[in-house]
Amino acid sequence: GGEAAAAMSGSEGLLSVDYEVSGRVQGVFFRKYTQGEAKRLGLVGWVQNTSHGTVQGQVQGPAERVRELQEWLRKTGSPQSRISHAEFSNEKPIAALEHADFKIVK
């Protein structure tokens, strides 16, 4: 099973990205679904509702997986949600993960 370990560290390192999703994303279990998807992909970070009706957070992990979550945040979201816009910022390579897991911040 050496391949899996090699694949994880692959050529692409770890990435950290902040995100903010607009649309009908509060009161539709968006945070819970985001957490579930992030954990499925093996990512860490956090997600929270903002006072102006959006959902924001940060995600960190292998670049390829981070891209998958970005795509999910842009197009999928929770079943009841209606995403109008997903914005990503502060994208940067990191040497190590800064979070232990993926949390929902109240």
Side-chain angles (χ1 to χ4, degrees), residues 77-88:
S78 67
Q80 316 274 289
S81 67
R82 292 283 172 275
I83 299 164
S84 59
H85 182 63
E87 196 167 313
F88 301 99

Side-chain angles (χ1 to χ4, degrees), residues 2 4 9 14 16 23 28-29 42-43 49 57 60-61 78-79 88 92-93 98 101 103:
S9 63
L14 300 171
S16 174
V28 293
F29 300 104
L43 299 168
N49 282 341
Q60 298 184 342
S78 67
F88 301 99
K92 58 179 193 285
E98 295 159 354
D101 54 13
K103 298 191 190 43

